[in-house]
Amino acid sequence: MKDKFYITTPIYYPSGNWHLGTCYTTVICDALARFKRMQGKDVFYLTGTDEHGQKIEKVAESAGITPKEYVDKQVDILKNVWKTLNISYDKFIRTTDKEHEEAVSKIFKKLYDKGDIYKSEYEGWYCVPCESFWTKTQLKDGKCPDCGRDVELTKETSYFFRLSKYRDKLIDLLENNPEFLQPKSRQNEMLNNFLRPGLQDLCVSRSSFKWGIPVPIDKEHVIYVWIDALSNYITALGYLSDDDSKFRKYWPADIHMMGKEIVRFHSIIWPAILMSLDLPLPKKVYGHGWLIMDGGKMSKSKGNIADPIELTRRYGADAIRYFLLREIPFGQDGSYSNRALLTRINADLVNDYGNLVSRTSAMIAQYFDGVMPTKPADVLDEDKELINIAEGLYNKVADYMDALDAPNALNEIWKLFIRANKYIDETMPWVLNKNGDKERLGAVLYNLAEAIRIGSVLLQPYLTETPEKAFKAFSIPDELKTFDSILKFGGIKGGVTVTKAEHVFDRIDIDKELADMDKYIEEQEKAKAEKEVKTENVVKLDEITIEDFAKLDLRVAEVVAAEKVEKADKLLKLTLDLNGATRTVVSGISKWYAPDDLVGASVVVVANLKPVKLRGIESMGMILCAEDDDGNLSIVAPVKKVKSGSKVR
Ligand code: MSP
């Protein structure tokens, strides 16, 4: 039976903000998955999307569609990115999949039954207009990070996971299993920054929004982020479903790969959840570095093309994959610039590899009428180094891949190509041809073709299209494209047809291309700016009918009393008169109005708004205000005096 190999990427937020940096995790995992498949392992490569949460709920709402409609669209876009980059995942899990939702619900219940989930109060900073809780560190200058408005310290009831209970076990895990979390620097970071100072229990439910998996024991709450997201690694295999055969076969994961910013969730929270479920832990968690641009984490920002689809359209999937795998020292950050990408393509792919393949195939086509020379009987001293590098290559590359070090694995393969190019300079086949030394010429070209075959076989996990061009030029059959076939030099058969390989990689005129990229970026930015202006000038929300508007009961009211709400500096408690009926409304306007300014004033109130409790006071409606971009706020009031209780229409 084949050995299994289970590898995962994090599940992606369906944010639409995918750029070259976000593709990094998936491309590395793809190279590893392909490498392990070629080594004969039974590979299961999982990726997917993390689709729940308030952010998605809000984005969808402002786009006027349901969250599911929104994520469906985003998932199609993301899958297209993976297709363009030739990502060979075995399963794409979505946290909105029915199987996942059912299993997460069971997982939550199991943790609860074990006594590891309990109900308590969650204290956070609440933004009334956004209906969002924030932790103190999430606030921007003490204000809501989403809308920039004032926030209030408020309490919400939530469910908590007893993370603190697992602290000692987690410390033991990280201290005594150095293989579990790599690179080593991340172990120290987790131990010193999080585990040793003490762990707090984790809030795992929310009741302030709805877009999530309901808490099985309390339908007022949805399961909040990490239990939902992390569980994908086992629900994708059918854990707690009718068919858990894949779970039994592939779990524990051999590698969970992710960027460094989410290592904490994978090396602390996830193992604790698994411990609570009495499940084996993943064998390795690897936190890679970031692709950075202008000194920060890469984003879709000015100055560089970061769109993987556009880059692939220009230079091909292999060039983009190669850059990502080669340029970033593994475990560390690596920089991106358009120039760095183009320079890599020209230096490594065009010069070292592409030219080697074209030149060698062209010489066989020309000097031997397109027929591969036979394997030479003798090995001369000048052949030895090339042959030794080629024969020893598989083991070196495999060792680097076991250490998850793709840049060095590629570096080893390039040593062979560089040596082969030098071999051409040393042996000078054109001189051998001129001198009529056909036997030596045949031997040299055979050795070169075989070196190209061995290098190209090893390139297949990284470059998914180009090695085939070399195989085609030298008529390499499938059985000579395997790792087994490259352990010994001399596999290529003489007599097969050889044709000149064209356009393996085309040379780029870097300055011209950079100018063209700048033009493209400029056009994109112009189009974006025009679109923004257009949408600003038109109504942003969907149109409503007069019947929709009629659902609002807007009334003129007179403020008969106003006072500050105790321990809430932003809020005023207003007592309104509506033609003899009084009601209380709590309003966040004390920054702009003193209570005394308001008594006697006319206001407009949404009289049929569902009542809410704010600071223990039942607020029966909302008064209308206008606010400009500079933060000036004014209560909306009738220009002429009308009776209180008058309908606003
Ligand atoms: N949804 C969470 C993961 C939940 S896993 C249970 C998430 N998603 S993400 O879309 O923000 O990130 C997906 C992957 O892209 C992560 O591995 C992240 O580190 C990676 N990258 C995003 N930007 C990156 C760079 N600029 N460079 C390298 N990788 C980066 O986090």
Coordinates of all heavy atoms in Angstrom, one line a residue, residues 80-159:
N80 N -10.8 30.1 -10.3 CA -10.2 30.4 -11.6 C -8.7 30.8 -11.4 O -7.9 30.5 -12.3 CB -11.0 31.6 -12.3 CG -10.5 31.8 -13.7 OD1 -10.2 30.9 -14.4 ND2 -10.3 33.1 -14.1
V81 N -8.4 31.5 -10.3 CA -7.0 31.8 -10.0 C -6.2 30.5 -9.9 O -5.1 30.3 -10.5 CB -6.8 32.7 -8.8 CG1 -5.4 32.9 -8.4 CG2 -7.5 34.0 -8.9
W82 N -6.8 29.6 -9.2 CA -6.0 28.3 -9.0 C -5.9 27.5 -10.3 O -4.9 26.9 -10.5 CB -6.7 27.4 -7.9 CG -6.8 28.0 -6.5 CD1 -7.7 27.8 -5.6 CD2 -5.9 29.0 -5.9 NE1 -7.4 28.5 -4.4 CE2 -6.3 29.3 -4.6 CE3 -4.7 29.7 -6.4 CZ2 -5.7 30.1 -3.8 CZ3 -4.1 30.6 -5.5 CH2 -4.5 30.8 -4.2
K83 N -6.9 27.6 -11.1 CA -6.8 26.9 -12.4 C -5.7 27.5 -13.3 O -4.9 26.8 -13.9 CB -8.2 27.0 -13.1 CG -8.4 26.1 -14.3 CD -9.8 26.0 -14.7 CE -9.9 25.6 -16.1 NZ -10.7 26.3 -16.9
T84 N -5.7 28.9 -13.3 CA -4.7 29.6 -14.1 C -3.3 29.2 -13.6 O -2.4 29.1 -14.4 CB -4.9 31.1 -13.9 OG1 -6.2 31.4 -14.1 CG2 -4.0 31.9 -14.8
L85 N -3.1 29.0 -12.3 CA -1.8 28.6 -11.8 C -1.5 27.1 -11.8 O -0.6 26.6 -11.2 CB -1.6 29.2 -10.4 CG -1.3 30.7 -10.4 CD1 -1.4 31.3 -9.0 CD2 0.0 31.1 -11.0
N86 N -2.4 26.4 -12.4 CA -2.3 24.9 -12.4 C -2.2 24.2 -11.0 O -1.3 23.4 -10.8 CB -1.1 24.4 -13.3 CG -1.3 24.8 -14.7 OD1 -2.5 24.9 -15.2 ND2 -0.3 25.2 -15.4
I87 N -3.1 24.7 -10.1 CA -3.0 24.1 -8.8 C -3.8 22.8 -8.8 O -5.0 22.7 -9.2 CB -3.7 25.1 -7.7 CG1 -2.9 26.4 -7.8 CG2 -3.7 24.5 -6.3 CD1 -1.5 26.4 -7.4
S88 N -3.1 21.7 -8.3 CA -3.7 20.4 -8.4 C -4.3 19.9 -7.1 O -4.0 18.8 -6.6 CB -2.6 19.4 -8.8 OG -1.6 19.4 -7.8
Y89 N -5.2 20.7 -6.5 CA -5.8 20.3 -5.2 C -6.7 19.0 -5.4 O -7.3 18.9 -6.5 CB -6.5 21.4 -4.5 CG -7.6 22.1 -5.3 CD1 -8.8 21.5 -5.5 CD2 -7.4 23.3 -5.9 CE1 -9.8 22.1 -6.3 CE2 -8.3 24.0 -6.7 CZ -9.6 23.4 -6.9 OH -10.5 24.0 -7.6
D90 N -6.8 18.2 -4.4 CA -7.7 17.1 -4.5 C -9.1 17.4 -4.0 O -10.0 16.7 -4.3 CB -7.1 15.9 -3.6 CG -5.8 15.4 -4.2 OD1 -5.9 14.8 -5.3 OD2 -4.7 15.7 -3.7
K91 N -9.2 18.4 -3.1 CA -10.5 18.8 -2.6 C -10.5 20.3 -2.3 O -9.5 20.8 -1.8 CB -10.9 18.1 -1.4 CG -12.3 18.4 -0.9 CD -12.8 17.5 0.2 CE -14.1 18.2 0.9 NZ -15.3 17.7 0.4
F92 N -11.6 21.0 -2.7 CA -11.8 22.4 -2.4 C -12.9 22.4 -1.4 O -14.1 22.2 -1.8 CB -12.1 23.2 -3.7 CG -12.1 24.7 -3.5 CD1 -11.0 25.4 -3.9 CD2 -13.2 25.3 -2.9 CE1 -11.0 26.8 -3.8 CE2 -13.2 26.7 -2.7 CZ -12.1 27.4 -3.1
I93 N -12.6 22.7 -0.1 CA -13.7 22.7 0.9 C -14.2 24.2 1.0 O -13.4 25.1 1.0 CB -13.2 22.2 2.2 CG1 -14.4 22.1 3.1 CG2 -12.1 23.0 2.8 CD1 -14.2 21.3 4.4
R94 N -15.5 24.3 1.2 CA -16.1 25.6 1.5 C -16.8 25.4 2.9 O -17.4 24.4 3.1 CB -17.2 26.0 0.4 CG -16.6 26.0 -1.0 CD -17.6 26.4 -2.0 NE -18.3 27.7 -1.6 CZ -19.3 28.3 -2.3 NH1 -19.7 27.7 -3.4 NH2 -19.9 29.4 -1.8
T95 N -16.6 26.5 3.7 CA -17.2 26.3 5.1 C -18.7 26.4 5.0 O -19.4 26.2 6.0 CB -16.6 27.3 6.1 OG1 -16.7 28.6 5.5 CG2 -15.2 27.0 6.4
T96 N -19.2 26.8 3.8 CA -20.7 26.8 3.7 C -21.2 25.4 3.1 O -22.4 25.2 2.9 CB -21.2 27.9 2.7 OG1 -20.4 27.8 1.5 CG2 -21.0 29.2 3.3
D97 N -20.3 24.5 2.9 CA -20.7 23.1 2.5 C -21.5 22.5 3.6 O -21.2 22.6 4.8 CB -19.5 22.2 2.3 CG -18.7 22.5 1.0 OD1 -19.2 23.2 0.2 OD2 -17.5 22.1 0.9
K98 N -22.6 21.8 3.2 CA -23.5 21.2 4.2 C -22.8 20.3 5.1 O -23.0 20.3 6.3 CB -24.7 20.5 3.4 CG -25.8 20.1 4.2 CD -27.0 19.6 3.3 CE -27.9 18.7 4.1 NZ -27.5 17.3 4.0
E99 N -21.9 19.4 4.5 CA -21.2 18.4 5.3 C -20.3 19.1 6.3 O -20.2 18.6 7.5 CB -20.3 17.5 4.4 CG -21.0 16.8 3.3 CD -21.4 17.7 2.1 OE1 -20.7 18.7 1.9 OE2 -22.4 17.3 1.4
H100 N -19.7 20.2 5.9 CA -18.8 20.9 6.9 C -19.7 21.5 8.0 O -19.4 21.3 9.2 CB -18.0 22.0 6.2 CG -17.3 22.9 7.1 ND1 -16.0 22.5 7.6 CD2 -17.6 24.1 7.6 CE1 -15.6 23.5 8.4 NE2 -16.5 24.5 8.4
E101 N -20.8 22.2 7.7 CA -21.6 22.8 8.7 C -22.1 21.8 9.7 O -22.1 22.0 10.9 CB -22.8 23.6 8.0 CG -22.3 24.7 7.2 CD -23.3 25.7 6.7 OE1 -24.5 25.4 6.8 OE2 -23.0 26.8 6.3
E102 N -22.6 20.6 9.2 CA -23.1 19.6 10.1 C -22.0 19.1 11.0 O -22.2 18.9 12.2 CB -23.7 18.4 9.2 CG -25.0 18.8 8.7 CD -25.5 17.7 7.7 OE1 -24.9 16.6 7.6 OE2 -26.6 17.9 7.1
A103 N -20.8 18.9 10.4 CA -19.7 18.3 11.3 C -19.3 19.3 12.3 O -19.0 19.0 13.4 CB -18.6 17.9 10.4
V104 N -19.2 20.6 11.9 CA -18.8 21.6 12.9 C -19.7 21.7 14.0 O -19.4 21.9 15.2 CB -18.6 23.0 12.2 CG1 -18.5 24.1 13.2 CG2 -17.4 23.0 11.3
S105 N -21.0 21.6 13.7 CA -22.0 21.6 14.8 C -21.8 20.5 15.7 O -21.8 20.7 17.0 CB -23.4 21.5 14.1 OG -24.4 21.7 14.9
K106 N -21.5 19.3 15.2 CA -21.2 18.1 16.1 C -19.9 18.3 16.9 O -19.8 17.9 18.0 CB -21.1 16.8 15.2 CG -22.4 16.4 14.6 CD -22.2 15.1 13.8 CE -23.5 14.8 13.0 NZ -23.2 13.8 12.0
I107 N -18.9 18.9 16.2 CA -17.7 19.2 16.9 C -17.9 20.1 18.1 O -17.4 19.9 19.2 CB -16.6 19.8 16.0 CG1 -16.1 18.7 15.0 CG2 -15.4 20.4 16.7 CD1 -15.3 19.3 13.8
F108 N -18.7 21.2 17.9 CA -19.0 22.1 19.0 C -19.7 21.4 20.1 O -19.3 21.6 21.3 CB -19.9 23.2 18.4 CG -20.0 24.4 19.3 CD1 -19.3 25.6 19.1 CD2 -20.9 24.4 20.4 CE1 -19.4 26.7 20.0 CE2 -21.0 25.5 21.3 CZ -20.3 26.6 21.0
K109 N -20.6 20.5 19.8 CA -21.4 19.8 20.8 C -20.4 18.9 21.6 O -20.5 18.8 22.8 CB -22.5 19.0 20.1 CG -23.4 18.2 21.0 CD -24.4 19.2 21.7 CE -25.5 18.5 22.5 NZ -25.2 17.4 23.3
K110 N -19.5 18.2 20.9 CA -18.6 17.3 21.5 C -17.7 18.1 22.5 O -17.5 17.7 23.7 CB -17.6 16.7 20.5 CG -17.9 15.3 20.1 CD -16.9 14.7 19.2 CE -17.0 13.2 19.2 NZ -15.9 12.4 19.6
L111 N -17.2 19.3 22.1 CA -16.4 20.1 23.0 C -17.2 20.5 24.2 O -16.7 20.6 25.3 CB -15.8 21.3 22.2 CG -15.0 21.0 21.0 CD1 -14.6 22.3 20.3 CD2 -13.7 20.3 21.4
Y112 N -18.5 20.9 23.9 CA -19.4 21.3 25.0 C -19.6 20.2 26.0 O -19.5 20.3 27.2 CB -20.7 21.8 24.4 CG -21.7 22.3 25.4 CD1 -21.5 23.6 26.0 CD2 -22.7 21.5 25.8 CE1 -22.4 24.0 26.9 CE2 -23.7 22.0 26.8 CZ -23.5 23.2 27.3 OH -24.4 23.7 28.2
D113 N -19.9 19.0 25.5 CA -20.2 17.8 26.3 C -19.0 17.4 27.2 O -19.1 16.9 28.3 CB -20.6 16.6 25.5 CG -22.0 16.8 24.9 OD1 -22.8 17.7 25.4 OD2 -22.4 16.1 23.9
K114 N -17.8 17.7 26.6 CA -16.6 17.4 27.3 C -16.4 18.4 28.5 O -15.5 18.2 29.3 CB -15.5 17.5 26.3 CG -14.1 17.3 26.9 CD -13.5 16.0 26.3 CE -12.1 15.8 27.0 NZ -11.1 15.3 26.2
G115 N -17.1 19.5 28.5 CA -17.0 20.5 29.5 C -15.9 21.5 29.1 O -15.5 22.4 29.9
D116 N -15.5 21.5 27.8 CA -14.5 22.5 27.4 C -15.1 23.8 26.8 O -14.4 24.7 26.4 CB -13.6 21.8 26.4 CG -12.5 21.0 27.1 OD1 -12.4 21.1 28.4 OD2 -11.8 20.2 26.5
I117 N -16.4 23.8 26.7 CA -17.1 25.0 26.2 C -18.1 25.5 27.3 O -18.9 24.6 27.8 CB -17.8 24.8 24.9 CG1 -16.7 24.8 23.8 CG2 -18.8 26.0 24.6 CD1 -17.2 24.7 22.4
Y118 N -18.0 26.7 27.7 CA -19.0 27.2 28.7 C -19.5 28.6 28.3 O -18.9 29.3 27.4 CB -18.3 27.3 30.1 CG -17.1 28.2 30.1 CD1 -17.2 29.6 30.5 CD2 -15.8 27.8 29.7 CE1 -16.2 30.4 30.5 CE2 -14.7 28.7 29.7 CZ -14.9 30.0 30.1 OH -13.9 30.9 30.1
K119 N -20.6 29.0 28.9 CA -21.2 30.3 28.6 C -20.7 31.4 29.6 O -20.7 31.1 30.8 CB -22.7 30.2 28.6 CG -23.5 31.2 27.9 CD -25.0 30.9 27.9 CE -25.7 31.9 27.1 NZ -27.2 31.5 27.0
S120 N -20.4 32.5 29.0 CA -20.0 33.6 30.0 C -20.1 34.9 29.3 O -20.7 35.0 28.2 CB -18.5 33.4 30.4 OG -18.1 34.4 31.2
E121 N -19.7 36.0 29.9 CA -19.8 37.3 29.3 C -18.6 37.7 28.6 O -17.4 37.5 29.1 CB -20.1 38.3 30.4 CG -21.5 38.2 30.9 CD -22.1 39.6 31.2 OE1 -21.5 40.3 31.9 OE2 -23.2 39.9 30.7
Y122 N -18.8 38.3 27.5 CA -17.7 38.8 26.7 C -17.7 40.3 26.7 O -18.7 40.9 26.5 CB -17.9 38.3 25.2 CG -16.9 38.9 24.2 CD1 -15.6 38.3 24.1 CD2 -17.2 39.9 23.4 CE1 -14.7 38.8 23.2 CE2 -16.4 40.4 22.5 CZ -15.1 39.8 22.4 OH -14.2 40.4 21.4
E123 N -16.6 40.9 27.1 CA -16.5 42.3 27.2 C -15.8 42.9 26.0 O -14.7 42.4 25.7 CB -15.8 42.8 28.5 CG -16.1 44.2 28.8 CD -15.6 44.6 30.1 OE1 -14.3 44.6 30.3 OE2 -16.4 45.0 31.0
G124 N -16.4 43.8 25.3 CA -15.7 44.3 24.1 C -16.2 45.8 23.9 O -17.1 46.3 24.6
W125 N -15.6 46.4 22.9 CA -16.0 47.7 22.5 C -17.0 47.7 21.4 O -16.7 47.1 20.4 CB -14.7 48.5 22.1 CG -13.8 48.7 23.3 CD1 -12.9 47.8 23.7 CD2 -13.8 49.8 24.2 NE1 -12.2 48.2 24.8 CE2 -12.8 49.5 25.2 CE3 -14.5 51.0 24.3 CZ2 -12.5 50.3 26.2 CZ3 -14.2 51.8 25.4 CH2 -13.2 51.5 26.3
Y126 N -18.2 48.3 21.6 CA -19.3 48.1 20.7 C -19.5 49.4 19.9 O -19.5 50.5 20.4 CB -20.6 47.8 21.5 CG -21.7 47.4 20.6 CD1 -21.6 46.2 19.9 CD2 -22.9 48.1 20.5 CE1 -22.6 45.8 19.1 CE2 -23.9 47.7 19.7 CZ -23.8 46.5 19.0 OH -24.8 46.1 18.2
C127 N -19.6 49.2 18.5 CA -19.9 50.3 17.7 C -21.4 50.2 17.3 O -21.8 49.2 16.7 CB -19.0 50.3 16.4 SG -19.5 51.5 15.2
V128 N -22.2 51.2 17.8 CA -23.6 51.1 17.6 C -24.0 51.0 16.1 O -24.7 50.1 15.7 CB -24.4 52.2 18.4 CG1 -25.9 52.0 18.2 CG2 -24.0 52.2 19.8
P129 N -23.6 52.0 15.3 CA -24.0 51.9 13.9 C -23.6 50.6 13.2 O -24.3 50.1 12.4 CB -23.3 53.1 13.3 CG -22.9 54.0 14.4 CD -22.7 53.1 15.6
C130 N -22.4 50.1 13.5 CA -21.9 48.9 12.8 C -22.4 47.7 13.5 O -22.2 46.6 13.0 CB -20.4 48.9 12.7 SG -19.7 50.2 11.8
E131 N -23.0 47.8 14.7 CA -23.3 46.6 15.5 C -22.2 45.6 15.6 O -22.4 44.4 15.5 CB -24.5 45.9 14.8 CG -25.8 46.7 14.8 CD -26.9 46.0 14.0 OE1 -26.9 44.8 14.0 OE2 -27.8 46.7 13.5
S132 N -21.0 46.2 15.9 CA -19.8 45.3 15.9 C -19.1 45.4 17.3 O -19.0 46.5 17.8 CB -18.8 45.6 14.9 OG -19.4 45.7 13.6
F133 N -18.6 44.3 17.7 CA -17.7 44.3 18.9 C -16.3 44.3 18.5 O -15.9 43.6 17.5 CB -17.9 43.0 19.7 CG -19.0 43.1 20.7 CD1 -20.3 42.5 20.4 CD2 -18.9 43.8 21.9 CE1 -21.3 42.6 21.3 CE2 -19.9 43.9 22.8 CZ -21.1 43.3 22.5
W134 N -15.5 45.0 19.2 CA -14.0 45.0 18.9 C -13.2 44.9 20.2 O -13.7 45.3 21.2 CB -13.6 46.4 18.2 CG -14.4 46.7 17.0 CD1 -15.4 47.6 16.9 CD2 -14.2 46.1 15.7 NE1 -15.9 47.6 15.6 CE2 -15.1 46.7 14.8 CE3 -13.3 45.2 15.2 CZ2 -15.2 46.4 13.5 CZ3 -13.4 44.8 13.8 CH2 -14.4 45.4 13.0
T135 N -12.1 44.3 20.1 CA -11.2 44.2 21.2 C -10.5 45.6 21.3 O -10.4 46.3 20.2 CB -10.2 43.1 21.2 OG1 -9.4 43.3 20.0 CG2 -10.8 41.8 21.1
K136 N -9.9 45.9 22.4 CA -9.2 47.2 22.6 C -8.1 47.3 21.5 O -7.9 48.4 20.9 CB -8.6 47.3 24.0 CG -8.3 48.7 24.3 CD -8.1 49.0 25.7 CE -7.9 50.4 25.9 NZ -7.4 50.8 27.2
T137 N -7.4 46.2 21.2 CA -6.3 46.3 20.3 C -6.8 46.5 18.9 O -6.0 47.0 18.0 CB -5.4 45.1 20.4 OG1 -6.2 43.9 20.3 CG2 -4.5 45.1 21.6
Q138 N -8.0 46.1 18.6 CA -8.5 46.2 17.2 C -8.9 47.7 16.9 O -9.0 48.0 15.8 CB -9.7 45.3 17.0 CG -9.3 43.8 16.9 CD -10.6 43.0 16.8 OE1 -11.5 43.2 17.5 NE2 -10.5 42.0 15.9
L139 N -9.1 48.5 18.0 CA -9.6 49.8 17.7 C -8.5 50.7 17.0 O -7.4 50.4 17.2 CB -10.0 50.5 19.1 CG -11.1 49.9 19.9 CD1 -11.3 50.6 21.2 CD2 -12.4 49.8 19.1
K140 N -9.0 51.6 16.2 CA -8.1 52.5 15.5 C -8.2 53.9 16.2 O -9.2 54.5 16.1 CB -8.5 52.7 14.1 CG -7.4 52.2 13.1 CD -7.7 52.6 11.7 CE -7.2 51.6 10.7 NZ -8.0 51.6 9.5
D141 N -7.1 54.3 16.9 CA -7.2 55.5 17.7 C -8.4 55.6 18.6 O -9.0 56.6 18.7 CB -7.2 56.8 16.8 CG -6.0 56.8 15.9 OD1 -4.9 56.3 16.3 OD2 -6.1 57.2 14.7
G142 N -8.7 54.5 19.2 CA -9.8 54.4 20.1 C -11.2 54.4 19.5 O -12.2 54.5 20.2
K143 N -11.2 54.4 18.1 CA -12.5 54.4 17.4 C -12.7 53.1 16.7 O -11.8 52.3 16.5 CB -12.5 55.6 16.4 CG -12.1 56.9 17.0 CD -13.1 57.9 16.9 CE -12.6 59.2 17.6 NZ -13.6 60.0 18.1
C144 N -14.0 53.0 16.2 CA -14.3 51.8 15.4 C -13.4 51.7 14.1 O -13.3 52.6 13.4 CB -15.8 51.9 14.9 SG -16.2 50.6 13.7
P145 N -12.7 50.5 14.0 CA -11.8 50.4 12.8 C -12.5 50.4 11.5 O -12.0 50.7 10.4 CB -11.1 49.1 13.1 CG -11.9 48.3 14.0 CD -12.7 49.3 14.8
D146 N -13.8 50.1 11.5 CA -14.6 50.1 10.2 C -15.1 51.4 9.8 O -14.9 51.9 8.7 CB -15.8 49.1 10.4 CG -15.5 47.8 9.8 OD1 -14.3 47.5 9.5 OD2 -16.4 46.9 9.8
C147 N -15.7 52.2 10.8 CA -16.4 53.4 10.4 C -15.8 54.6 11.0 O -16.1 55.8 10.7 CB -17.9 53.4 10.7 SG -18.2 53.5 12.4
G148 N -14.8 54.4 12.0 CA -14.1 55.6 12.6 C -14.9 56.3 13.6 O -14.5 57.3 14.1
R149 N -16.1 55.7 14.0 CA -16.9 56.4 15.0 C -16.6 56.0 16.4 O -15.9 55.0 16.6 CB -18.4 56.2 14.7 CG -18.9 57.2 13.6 CD -20.3 57.0 13.4 NE -20.5 56.1 12.3 CZ -21.6 56.2 11.4 NH1 -22.5 57.1 11.6 NH2 -21.7 55.3 10.5
D150 N -17.2 56.6 17.4 CA -17.0 56.3 18.8 C -17.5 54.9 19.1 O -18.5 54.5 18.5 CB -17.6 57.3 19.7 CG -16.9 58.7 19.6 OD1 -15.7 58.7 19.3 OD2 -17.6 59.7 19.8
V151 N -16.9 54.3 20.1 CA -17.3 52.9 20.5 C -17.6 53.0 22.0 O -17.1 53.8 22.7 CB -16.3 51.9 20.2 CG1 -16.3 51.5 18.7 CG2 -14.9 52.3 20.7
E152 N -18.4 52.0 22.5 CA -18.7 51.9 23.9 C -18.3 50.6 24.5 O -18.4 49.6 23.8 CB -20.2 52.0 24.1 CG -20.8 53.3 23.8 CD -22.3 53.1 23.8 OE1 -22.8 52.4 24.7 OE2 -23.0 53.6 22.9
L153 N -17.8 50.6 25.7 CA -17.4 49.4 26.4 C -18.8 48.6 26.8 O -19.6 49.2 27.5 CB -16.6 49.7 27.6 CG -16.0 48.5 28.3 CD1 -15.0 47.8 27.4 CD2 -15.2 48.9 29.6
T154 N -18.9 47.5 26.2 CA -20.2 46.8 26.4 C -20.0 45.3 26.6 O -18.9 44.8 26.3 CB -21.1 46.9 25.1 OG1 -21.0 48.2 24.7 CG2 -22.6 46.6 25.4
K155 N -20.9 44.6 27.2 CA -20.8 43.2 27.5 C -21.8 42.4 26.6 O -22.9 42.8 26.4 CB -21.1 42.9 28.9 CG -19.9 43.2 29.8 CD -20.1 42.9 31.2 CE -18.9 43.2 32.0 NZ -19.1 43.2 33.4
E156 N -21.3 41.2 26.1 CA -22.2 40.3 25.4 C -22.0 38.9 25.9 O -20.9 38.6 26.2 CB -21.9 40.4 23.9 CG -22.9 39.7 23.0 CD -22.4 39.5 21.5 OE1 -22.5 40.5 20.8 OE2 -22.0 38.4 21.2
T157 N -23.1 38.2 26.0 CA -22.9 36.8 26.4 C -22.4 36.0 25.3 O -22.9 36.1 24.2 CB -24.3 36.3 26.9 OG1 -24.8 37.1 27.9 CG2 -24.2 34.9 27.5
S158 N -21.4 35.1 25.5 CA -20.8 34.3 24.5 C -20.5 32.9 25.1 O -20.4 32.8 26.3 CB -19.5 34.9 24.0 OG -19.8 36.0 23.2
Y159 N -20.1 32.0 24.2 CA -19.6 30.7 24.6 C -18.0 30.8 24.5 O -17.5 31.5 23.6 CB -20.1 29.6 23.7 CG -21.6 29.3 24.0 CD1 -22.6 30.0 23.4 CD2 -21.9 28.4 25.0 CE1 -23.9 29.8 23.7 CE2 -23.2 28.2 25.4 CZ -24.2 28.9 24.7 OH -25.5 28.7 25.1

